[in-house]
Amino acid sequence: MVALARKTLVYEWRRYLPASLAVAFSGMLLLVQLALVFGIFDSAAVYINASRGQIWVGYPGTQSIDLGRSIPRDAQMRLLMNPQVAQVEPFQWVNGDWRGSRQLGSVSVFVSGIDPAPDGLVFARAIPPALRARLEEPGAIIVDRADLPKLGIQVGQSGILNGQRVYLVGTTSGLRALGGVNIVTSLATAEQLNVGGDPRPAYYVARLRDPARAAVVAAQLDPHDRQRRYAVWSASTLAARTIHYWLFETGAGLGVVFMSLVVFLVGTVITSQTLMGAVAGSISEYATLNALGASHGALSRVVMEQAGWVGVAGLLGGGVLSAMVLLLAHSQDVPVGITVAGVTACAVLVMGITLFSGMLAVRTLRNADPARLLR
Amino acid sequence: MVEHVAIRGRGIGKSFTVGKVSTRVIDELSVDVASGELTLLSGPSGCGKSTLLAILSGLERPDAGSVEALGEQVWLLDRKALQRFRLHHIGFVFQGFNLFPALNSVEQVELPLSYLGLGAEETRRRAWAALDEVGLAHRRHMRPAELSGGEKQRVAIARALAKRPQLLFADEPTSALDSVSGQTVIDILHRAARVHGTMVLCASHDPRLIAHADRVLRMEDGRVLADEHHPHPPMGAHTTS
Ligand SMILES: Nc1ncnc2c1ncn2[C@@H]1O[C@H](COP(=O)(O)OP(=O)(O)O)[C@@H](O)[C@H]1O
Ligand SMILES: [Mg+2]
């Protein structure tokens, strides 16, 4: 079998390049927008993902972690009574108002009060133990280094938070918040800053002896009655609830769908036009094959195979492009989130672009009428 | 001759309508074409040679009349059956060579063979033999861009011959070629008719080809005006390289 499709692609690669590029850019746009959206909404769940506990206890019905309300302290005792639970720690959430330099005005911030112990759970993945220990100093705060310009201070300087003076003892990365600035303090400092608020914590975080049993233990620990004053989730459930809430609360989910449609349309137009041009350019050769007895189905398979190879080349190119863009974004502290499901969805959509374009190009083959070769 | 008739056309009529004007291109034409000889359709441009060729070869449906090829009523076959009939029995050579730029000579010839479902071994063997027959064994691995016009047309002939068709149609096969290349091409077609017993029907307005044909049908305005047999036409000096 003569590999007509592949040989033509290699020999006339210039002709097919625009299609492959269109596919590559479509793939890149799809993946990057998805990574950005997930990256941004991942930061809504940063409190969960940057912590080490597998169990979160909070106010019943909480849709997103930033919407937490105080819960009774006896929840901690209930948790500790379960033999699966190895460690429990409160997490205080205080809304704050930051005043740095006069020019920047006030900035709305989220204060996270955490246990500064070296084996503390909350933000264990984002704050190294040595830095964490420095939160023991009264009024000490830690922020993400990308948020420094918003706060207008440097490490060692101070600012006013909820009317009280606090000191920046260090910065880290992976703490960025959605719609404000995350400020991490010790539980004691948070209590000082919580002027007139409910002194009870918004969440308790627990570490299990067997991390794999999170879902089962969460179900065991949840009080399950209508009058319950707290609810228990596994960390991944609460993170998923939070991301889901933000995707739909902000309309970003619809935006992703809309953008994907636009990319699909533009990619298909360019790819199909290129493939149609290639078919039109070889129309008398195809007509000759048809005269000699090759069926339209056989010729269509050649065109579809070309579309397939264009797609594969575009997919590889798009992969490289996406990797470059996402690495650049990551190096600039732009939050990006990539999941296997996301990459698979983009790859499927991109192959959809090429196969759909191939089907449009196959229609051009109708012009391969061998009678026209006789004039 | 009559016992070797490959194609019988009866009462063929064909008109083309452009805008509101309808032109009669083939007019009540009946013709028999025999196997084993080169029949030349000769006549001025626009007299209907190509149209007649297309009707006899199953590419263009006539308005009236019938075509019987190898005992089969061609225009009673459905589209699929007609395509299969062309695949198994008919070869074509066109004025434009219509070779795929990306393929070398062997691949050009192998390509239509692959639709016959022959094995890789047999396909290769036939392709090499066909290129040998047209004197292009040494050009096997060249692409069209590296071949002269005459060589390209010989590859196209090899592509048509490799199927071993009983019917070979050639429309103006020499019109894009210089006279020496044209002579080579018509000699190859002539020899194919003699050696394989193939019916070769060639349409051309070029009067120089008349001397190379076994039979000449002179056409004018959609009719055959004269039917001349050349019992022993001279075989031109055939060069194999
Ligand atoms: N598809 C078509 N539509 C309209 N007119 C056509 C078509 N094909 C051929 N003709 C006309 O039919 C006449 C005969 O054409 P053709 O058979 O190609 O002549 P020849 O091959 O002898 O030069 C010409 O006048 C040509 O313009
Ligand atoms: Mg003609």
Side-chain angles (χ1 to χ4, degrees), chain A residues 374-375, chain B residues 16-18 25 44-52 171-172:
Chain A
L374 292 160
R375 280 292 141 85
Chain B
F16 285 115
T17 310
V18 178
V25 177
S45 271
C47 71
K49 305 182 295 293
S50 297
T51 306
L52 180 59
D171 187 44
E172 306 282 1

Side-chain angles (χ1 to χ4, degrees), chain B residues 13-85:
Chain B
K14 179 79 183 171
S15 304
F16 285 115
T17 310
V18 178
K20 286 186 178 148
V21 187
S22 179
T23 321
R24 193 137 192 85
V25 177
I26 304 292
D27 201 5
E28 275 293 308
L29 191 150
S30 294
V31 67
D32 289 356
V33 188
S35 298
E37 58 180 32
L38 172 63
T39 304
L40 182 70
L41 275 177
S42 179
S45 271
C47 71
K49 305 182 295 293
S50 297
T51 306
L52 180 59
L53 208 70
I55 292 170
L56 294 177
S57 61
L59 293 184
E60 182 100 49
R61 183 177 290 277
D63 301 337
S66 66
V67 175
E68 184 192 314
L70 306 174
E72 194 86 55
Q73 281 297 329
V74 170
W75 291 110
L76 294 183
L77 296 174
D78 65 31
R79 207 177 54 85
K80 271 230 168 94
L82 183 54
Q83 196 162 280
R84 207 166 321 117
F85 184 81

Side-chain angles (χ1 to χ4, degrees), chain A residues 302-337:
Chain A
V302 173
V303 175
M304 288 310 286
E305 191 190 331
Q306 283 180 345
W309 286 116
V310 162
V312 168
L315 218 51
L316 292 178
V320 172
L321 273 175
S322 306
M324 277 161 48
V325 171
L326 294 177
L327 281 177
L328 179 73
H330 187 71
S331 73
Q332 300 301 309
D333 286 324
V334 176
V336 287

Side-chain angles (χ1 to χ4, degrees), chain B residues 143-161:
Chain B
R143 295 207 176 92
E146 301 162 283
L147 300 174
S148 72
E151 288 171 334
K152 279 189 256 201
Q153 192 59 299
R154 281 147 71 190
V155 172
I157 294 173
R159 173 169 68 180
L161 286 178

Side-chain angles (χ1 to χ4, degrees), chain A residues 238-308:
Chain A
L238 185 59
R241 273 172 85 112
T242 298
I243 293 171
H244 188 264
Y245 172 83
W246 278 91
L247 262 175
F248 289 90
E249 170 69 12
T250 58
L254 214 61
V256 169
V257 171
F258 180 74
M259 256 294 276
S260 303
L261 270 178
V262 170
V263 169
F264 188 90
L265 214 73
V266 172
T268 302
V269 167
I270 299 177
T271 309
S272 64
Q273 286 295 318
T274 306
L275 289 175
M276 282 166 158
V279 171
S282 300
I283 202 75
S284 18
E285 285 87 308
Y286 285 123
T288 303
L289 275 190
N290 185 236
L292 290 172
S295 65
H296 266 272
L299 301 181
S300 304
R301 277 194 289 282
V302 173
V303 175
M304 288 310 286
E305 191 190 331
Q306 283 180 345

Side-chain angles (χ1 to χ4, degrees), chain A residues 228-242:
Chain A
R228 64 186 171 169
R229 290 161 305 142
Y230 63 88
V232 183
W233 309 279
S234 70
S236 53
T237 304
L238 185 59
R241 273 172 85 112
T242 298

Side-chain angles (χ1 to χ4, degrees), chain A:
Chain A
M1 198 76 198
V2 179
L4 176 61
R6 250 181 308 133
K7 296 218 151 125
T8 304
L9 272 173
V10 170
Y11 188 74
E12 299 178 56
W13 62 271
R14 266 173 247 267
R15 176 174 243 170
Y16 294 91
L17 188 62
S20 272
L21 285 179
V23 172
F25 275 100
S26 303
M28 190 266 277
L29 285 174
L30 289 172
L31 190 60
V32 167
Q33 76 144 350
L34 209 62
L36 285 177
V37 167
F38 274 115
I40 288 167
F41 293 117
D42 257 358
S43 50
V46 63
Y47 318 95
I48 304 160
N49 296 332
S51 301
R52 269 198 303 123
Q54 295 89 28
I55 297 285
W56 281 71
V57 181
Y59 196 82
T62 302
Q63 294 192 69
S64 168
I65 185 145
D66 52 300
L67 302 175
R69 288 170 57 179
S70 301
I71 55 172
R73 291 190 198 275
D74 58 345
Q76 181 164 18
M77 282 318 294
R78 291 285 195 79
L79 288 175
L80 284 170
M81 273 156 58
N82 189 303
Q84 290 285 331
V85 175
Q87 185 182 352
V88 180
E89 184 181 306
F91 174 48
Q92 183 59 286
W93 176 284
V94 179
N95 283 312
D97 177 57
W98 169 270
R99 282 171 203 281
S101 66
R102 201 157 286 155
Q103 298 95 303
L104 291 170
S106 85
V107 178
S108 134
V109 300
F110 312 123
V111 178
S112 295
I114 67 168
D115 186 343
D119 67 342
L121 299 176
V122 181
F123 290 133
R125 293 184 215 283
I127 305 174
L131 183 58
R132 190 180 187 97
R134 300 204 51 195
L135 289 177
E136 302 270 14
E137 303 161 27
I141 64 167
I142 296 173
V143 300
D144 192 294
R145 64 179 134 89
D147 285 330
L148 287 180
K150 269 192 246 172
L151 301 176
I153 58 166
Q154 295 298 322
V155 175
Q157 295 179 331
S158 68
I160 304 295
L161 179 52
N162 284 4
Q164 307 188 34
R165 185 154 294 273
V166 290
Y167 303 87
L168 183 62
V169 294
T171 61
T172 180
S173 69
L175 275 186
R176 295 187 80 173
L178 202 57
V181 175
N182 274 328
I183 291 186
V184 183
T185 71
S186 68
L187 285 163
T189 305
E191 202 170 313
Q192 298 272 304
L193 296 168
N194 192 7
V195 192
D198 193 326
R200 296 173 305 166
Y203 298 93
Y204 284 101
V205 185
R207 179 169 64 81
L208 299 181
R209 293 186 204 285
D210 178 5
R213 303 203 57 202
V216 178
V217 178
Q220 281 174 8
L221 289 170
D222 194 277
H224 289 295
D225 66 75
R226 257 166 221 270
Q227 265 82 56
R228 64 186 171 169
R229 290 161 305 142
Y230 63 88
V232 183
W233 309 279
S234 70
S236 53
T237 304
L238 185 59
R241 273 172 85 112
T242 298
I243 293 171
H244 188 264
Y245 172 83
W246 278 91
L247 262 175
F248 289 90
E249 170 69 12
T250 58
L254 214 61
V256 169
V257 171
F258 180 74
M259 256 294 276
S260 303
L261 270 178
V262 170
V263 169
F264 188 90
L265 214 73
V266 172
T268 302
V269 167
I270 299 177
T271 309
S272 64
Q273 286 295 318
T274 306
L275 289 175
M276 282 166 158
V279 171
S282 300
I283 202 75
S284 18
E285 285 87 308
Y286 285 123
T288 303
L289 275 190
N290 185 236
L292 290 172
S295 65
H296 266 272
L299 301 181
S300 304
R301 277 194 289 282
V302 173
V303 175
M304 288 310 286
E305 191 190 331
Q306 283 180 345
W309 286 116
V310 162
V312 168
L315 218 51
L316 292 178
V320 172
L321 273 175
S322 306
M324 277 161 48
V325 171
L326 294 177
L327 281 177
L328 179 73
H330 187 71
S331 73
Q332 300 301 309
D333 286 324
V334 176
V336 287
I338 304 173
T339 60
V340 176
V343 172
T344 309
C346 290
V348 166
L349 213 58
V350 162
M351 278 322 273
I353 290 179
T354 51
L355 295 183
F356 190 56
S357 303
M359 276 151 63
L360 290 175
V362 161
R363 291 160 50 97
T364 311
L365 274 180
R366 286 189 197 158
N367 299 330
D369 175 12
R372 293 198 193 180
L373 300 172
L374 292 160
R375 280 292 141 85

